[in-house]
Amino acid sequence: MPYDPLWNYVAFLINGNGENNSTVIAEETGKSATAMNGAKYSNAVDLCNGTSLYLPGSTGRVYIPDHESFNIGGNDFCIEAKIRPLLVDGNQRHIINQSGDLSNNGNRSFGLGIKQSGLDFYYTTDGISDTTISANTTFEANQTYHI
């Protein structure tokens, strides 16, 4: 890994370069990462000079066990991703979230997602009430975005 003066502050990093069709996800900070529901590296869309992480449909994801470094708290933070959505509509498509169960909003902490009309970041301090910060922009399918 090249020298990064802020490396000590990185909580989670998946670089998109993996072997085509591999479900072994390389997480650079040493956390366990498990491909679920069809998630894999694919060379069908090259976002990372070879392969990219492919998360099919609405259920493809990479599971990372909870870790204290994911607690945002009152400190500054940054979430960054390079994405190429295959489907963009009025439904929220999560890029990342911290949640024990996607169907139960009662045990989540934060999330970042896109829909056709924009980008939403939400967080909660009590696990129930969300605060949402939205950026109005237009996302289109099969276009690459650095967010």
Side-chain angles (χ1 to χ4, degrees), residues 20-139:
N20 188 42
N21 292 317
S22 174
T23 58
V24 177
I25 308 300
E27 198 288 315
E28 302 291 335
T29 68
K31 294 178 180 66
S32 170
T34 305
M36 300 179 68
N37 303 326
K40 64 181 180 178
Y41 288 109
S42 172
N43 63 7
V45 176
D46 180 4
L47 297 180
C48 299
N49 298 323
T51 59
S52 298
L53 187 58
Y54 174 65
L55 306 172
S58 61
T59 61
R61 64 181 47 97
V62 174
Y63 172 76
I64 311 289
D66 193 20
H67 191 274
E68 66 183 40
S69 64
F70 297 146
N71 296 333
I72 293 174
N75 297 320
D76 293 340
F77 64 93
C78 174
I79 298 173
E80 182 178 10
K82 192 173 187 180
I83 64 169
R84 185 178 178 100
L86 301 178
L87 172 66
V88 180
D89 56 20
N91 296 318
Q92 186 76 258
R93 309 289 178 185
H94 290 98
I95 310 290
I96 186 172
N97 70 18
Q98 181 182 23
S99 173
D101 179 357
L102 291 176
S103 66
N104 176 5
N105 290 345
N107 78 4
R108 66 182 184 183
S109 178
F110 68 87
L112 176 68
I114 67 165
K115 56 188 172 197
Q116 194 168 24
S117 62
L119 181 71
D120 290 331
F121 175 75
Y122 64 84
Y123 66 96
T124 180
T125 56
D126 62 10
I128 299 169
S129 303
D130 286 343
T131 298
T132 302
I133 301 168
S134 297
N136 294 326
T137 189
T138 302
F139 287 99

